[in-house]
Amino acid sequence: MMPTEHSQYHSPVADPGHVVKSSPVMIDGVALNGPTLDVSAAEGFIQQSMAIIMEDAVRKATNVREKVCEWRSPEQLKELLDLELKDGGEAQSKILQRCRDAIRYSVKTTHPRFFNQLYAGMEPYSMVGSFIIEAIKPSLYTYEVAPVFTLMEEAVLKKMMEFLGWEEGGDGIFNPGGSVSNMYAMNVARFHHCPDIKELGLSAVPRLVMFTSQECHYSISKAAAFLGIGTKNVYVVPSDKRGKMIPAALEEQIKKAKNEGAEPFMVNATAGTTVLGAFDPIEEIADICEKYNLWLHVDACWGGAALLSKKHRHLLKGIHRANSVAWNPHKMLMACLQCCAFMVRDKTGLLQRCHSARASYLFQQDKFYDVSYDTGDKSIQCSRKPDAFKFWLMWKALGTSELERRVDRAFAMARYLAQEIKKREGFRLLMEPEYANVCFWYIPPSLRNMPESPEFWQKLHTVGPAVKERMMKKGSMMVSYQPHGDKVNFFRMIIISPQASREDMDFVLDEIDRLGQDL
């Protein structure tokens, strides 16, 4: 076993070769001399674990000939994993097997045929960054405990702001998830509108309302509920057929809210919607925000990566006018989860003033270094992982030009898949893709000659869930499906990973046809 008790110890200040012997010191029946961890045994366990990770979680998990998942029901999985925690520890060999089992029965999101979410693929440099972070266990609140990563976060945010077009810079922070970034945006926008709310609370403000499109991420309504704004004070603006917010409808909603006696304070625009991959017209929305003096936040968690592409950055035209932006490098750019930036076009310390609690045990003002590098008081968290390092390391390794090529390739692969869908009998595009979301129906042979009546759409609605169940149980691939508005269930392919090839696109269509032939 790794834990041991020593009656002798090495003095940290004495000659390293000199062992100081002393009598055991006992407090409450506990011997305190020496460490209780056998470092040599710990290193051995880590080395054996890394061998398993390399074989099972890296090599096999990214092999197109291996399964994407080993599906088991919750009841079966509970039995296989033996989840109960007990008084006694287990042998190291058993723990290593538990590592293998955890990997075996997990979904391999790094597999070339995982197209289910807005993240995918293996990014080796970012993965190594994650390993380093876990090995040295830093927390990013003060420079004194995380000097390297404090400077790296600053450098990454500065570079991302350059792509936003914020020539004078701004401020920002990495945080755990785009949902949290959107919550930050709402809180900072409200504080900017009503600074007294921080001390006096909701009783100090009028009825505040914000605006977002019907295609926005659900985190907007969650943030409104969490912050006490209220979901009914989130005015939903209609979108056009492609899923883009209609600016004229936004202005109508603003006028309506003002006539009701409410006080508008914020508009949320989306750059890359979750289902359709739509980009709201930021420039036109910014004009309206300026007219009514509203904070403009752009949720570019998914679509922000297009800024790195000279061919496609026009999709975010006007983003330089945003007051705040959320952008997740762990999505299209493939940094390891989680890696999410929230940025504000403000250099007056707004983020700090909004969230600061001035904890005297962390943020002492009489430290021996420049305390402006103690960035933790800008955050709603205390402990915070240095997620920017995972992005910094891969950006250093690949360079901006390779990141741009990856983005352009994902766009091109989406176009290829859309073209193939249009050629194949039994497949129908929902719409031409604007981004890397490709949405389509599969119509099995039994429905192909049926009139498009309510009965047809009712039957088609059952096809997606049935095919998804079969692909999961077979383990051949993972593709998402969902209904949307008045549209019955359709497949949504998300194309990100440079591991995915044209052959994989063909395989997806062939496999869906194989799995759904008899439906």
Side-chain angles (χ1 to χ4, degrees), residues 312-468:
H312 302 293
R313 63 177 56 147
H314 64 88
L315 292 168
L316 295 100
K317 184 182 178 185
I319 197 168
H320 66 284
R321 298 171 67 186
N323 298 101
S324 60
V325 174
W327 178 359
N328 292 4
H330 75 225
K331 294 186 185 292
M332 174 63 79
L333 297 177
M334 295 177 58
C336 286
L337 274 74
Q338 290 172 316
C339 191
C340 312
F342 171 69
M343 295 163 283
V344 291
R345 186 167 51 89
D346 170 88
K347 298 190 74 175
T348 68
L350 179 66
L351 194 56
Q352 174 96 7
R353 296 196 309 277
C354 181
H355 298 124
S356 171
R358 299 176 183 173
S360 60
Y361 60 89
L362 275 179
F363 305 113
Q364 303 93 330
Q365 296 303 296
D366 54 358
K367 292 180 180 179
F368 63 93
Y369 59 86
D370 181 355
V371 295
S372 69
Y373 288 98
D374 288 355
T375 57
D377 223 12
K378 293 191 286 190
S379 170
I380 58 171
Q381 299 169 251
C382 181
S383 298
R384 188 166 64 91
K385 299 184 82 166
D387 292 324
F389 175 56
K390 296 177 288 191
F391 190 31
W392 180 88
L393 194 65
M394 63 174 277
W395 203 333
K396 274 286 195 183
L398 298 171
T400 305
S401 58
E402 178 58 27
L403 294 177
E404 180 179 14
R405 279 191 288 272
R406 284 186 177 183
V407 172
D408 287 343
R409 187 177 186 275
F411 272 89
M413 197 68 78
R415 303 299 177 271
Y416 171 80
L417 180 63
Q419 290 171 10
E420 290 303 303
I421 287 169
K422 288 187 283 188
K423 293 177 188 175
R424 294 194 182 217
E425 185 182 9
F427 288 84
R428 186 189 300 181
L429 269 181
L430 197 75
M431 63 178 65
E432 289 288 341
E434 185 172 36
Y435 194 31
N437 311 45
V438 183
C439 300
F440 62 94
W441 285 288
Y442 169 68
I443 304 167
S446 66
L447 299 180
R448 288 176 194 169
N449 296 317
M450 189 175 176
E452 292 185 11
S453 61
E455 183 187 3
F456 167 84
W457 292 107
Q458 189 177 359
K459 288 186 175 182
L460 187 60
H461 188 63
T462 67
V463 171
V467 172
K468 180 65 177 281

Side-chain angles (χ1 to χ4, degrees), residues 508-519:
V508 166
L509 300 182
D510 292 341
E511 182 74 348
I512 288 175
D513 197 30
R514 278 191 292 269
L515 295 171
Q517 271 289 318
D518 63 338
L519 295 175

Side-chain angles (χ1 to χ4, degrees), residues 14-33:
D15 179 349
H18 178 62
V19 176
V20 180
K21 294 186 178 181
S22 62
S23 302
V25 173
M26 304 291 290
I27 301 290
D28 295 336
V30 178
L32 302 181
N33 289 48

Side-chain angles (χ1 to χ4, degrees), residues 29 37 44 62 85 111 146 160 195 249 280 306 336 364 444 451 463:
L37 178 73
T62 58
L85 299 171
H111 193 283
M160 293 176 78
D280 287 342
C336 286
Q364 303 93 330
V463 171

Side-chain angles (χ1 to χ4, degrees), residues 54-66:
M54 286 302 300
E55 177 63 17
D56 295 359
V58 176
R59 193 186 67 79
K60 285 184 180 178
T62 58
N63 187 339
V64 75
R65 291 181 292 276
E66 298 282 347

